[in-house]
Amino acid sequence: MIDVDPYPECSDPGVGYCAYFDSAGAVETVALHVSRTCSGNAGCLDADAPATRDAILAFDGVFFRGGDQSLYVQHWADSELERAVFDVHAAGGVVGGTSAGAMIQSPVTSIGDATSFEATADPYHPRIELSDSLFGGQMALLPPTSLDTHFTPRARLGRLMVLLGRWAEDRGEDLLAIGIDQETAVTVEPDGIATVHGQGAVSFVQATPESERTFVPVPSRPEHLVLA
């Protein structure tokens, strides 16, 4: 279908993305490496190239592997890849992902790595960072939401609640937060109905008219200092 080397992990037995989708009945599964820093690397597609958009539009679905969501935002925001994925979704195609690949599908993505302990101790911790530059605005795949993964095992409820509060405080917008456990999935139909699948839980968190929030910045601490 396209002339590009598959991303190596696709056929890795320890990862098995391609094998899984092939076993589920996919006619053809191809793994692509898309970046803004290909620099002529074999098998790498330029995220900003029209040819990359054409390649993605040839498929009926897109699945994002795990990794570092901040890198996805850095390399894919406002790119031909982003526009192509949005068009696949708008045409009725399926868009999915795992771990960081799931988190980036929400209009607001947590790209910081603060823990719940750090976030609840300091709601302005420097490692709390939210972005709406990838799949946000008119390119949104979901209603106003923020997704988090590995939710219960990594005790991320506290962090998620702080992120909701920070977004409301800074942007004046309320979000629906969705925390997804491992070995668990949530599917969202075009009518907005969500269904949970798998062995774990999916947590839905949203402010109500009775909700209260008070953010108090903590005094500067050594780890907050930036030396230039």
Side-chain angles (χ1 to χ4, degrees):
M1 187 175 292
I2 58 176
D3 184 19
V4 64
D5 295 332
Y7 197 66
E9 284 195 1
C10 187
S11 56
D12 184 338
V15 180
Y17 292 124
C18 283
Y20 173 80
F21 289 115
D22 290 344
S23 69
V27 174
E28 181 178 15
T29 305
V30 176
L32 306 178
H33 179 198
V34 183
S35 173
R36 279 195 165 106
T37 57
C38 283
S39 302
N41 294 335
C44 180
L45 297 179
D46 185 343
D48 296 312
T52 300
R53 172 185 172 83
D54 293 341
I56 293 171
L57 289 175
F59 293 94
D60 299 315
V62 179
F63 185 87
F64 300 115
R65 63 188 293 272
D68 183 341
Q69 62 269 20
S70 67
L71 293 179
Y72 286 139
V73 172
Q74 175 185 342
H75 289 290
W76 293 352
D78 193 26
S79 69
E80 291 295 333
L81 176 142
E82 180 185 29
R83 287 182 277 275
V85 171
F86 176 78
D87 286 346
V88 169
H89 182 262
V94 177
V95 179
T98 183
S99 192
M103 294 174 68
I104 61 171
Q105 294 173 54
S106 54
V108 179
T109 302
S110 171
I111 58 175
D113 61 355
T115 65
S116 286
F117 176 81
E118 292 167 331
T120 54
D122 179 3
Y124 294 95
H125 195 284
R127 292 206 301 275
I128 294 176
E129 187 174 0
L130 293 166
S131 172
D132 61 354
S133 59
L134 179 63
F135 299 128
Q138 293 184 340
M139 295 291 183
L141 303 174
L142 292 169
T145 52
S146 185
L147 299 178
D148 206 345
T149 54
H150 308 284
F151 194 64
T152 301
R154 299 187 185 179
R156 288 180 165 172
L157 177 59
R159 179 176 81 171
L160 196 63
M161 294 183 71
V162 171
L163 295 179
L164 283 181
R166 276 291 305 275
W167 193 257
E169 188 84 4
D170 298 344
R171 298 291 191 95
E173 299 173 0
D174 288 323
L175 299 172
L176 170 64
I178 304 175
I180 306 172
D181 285 358
Q182 294 167 210
E183 300 184 4
T184 309
V186 58
T187 56
V188 182
E189 301 296 332
D191 60 5
I193 299 298
T195 304
V196 176
H197 312 263
Q199 301 181 27
V202 174
S203 302
F204 295 85
V205 182
Q206 189 171 35
T208 69
E210 293 75 29
S211 298
E212 298 181 5
R213 66 176 182 271
T214 302
F215 288 163
V216 180
V218 301
S220 295
R221 296 185 299 220
E223 62 267 28
H224 287 198
L225 298 179
V226 177
L227 302 179

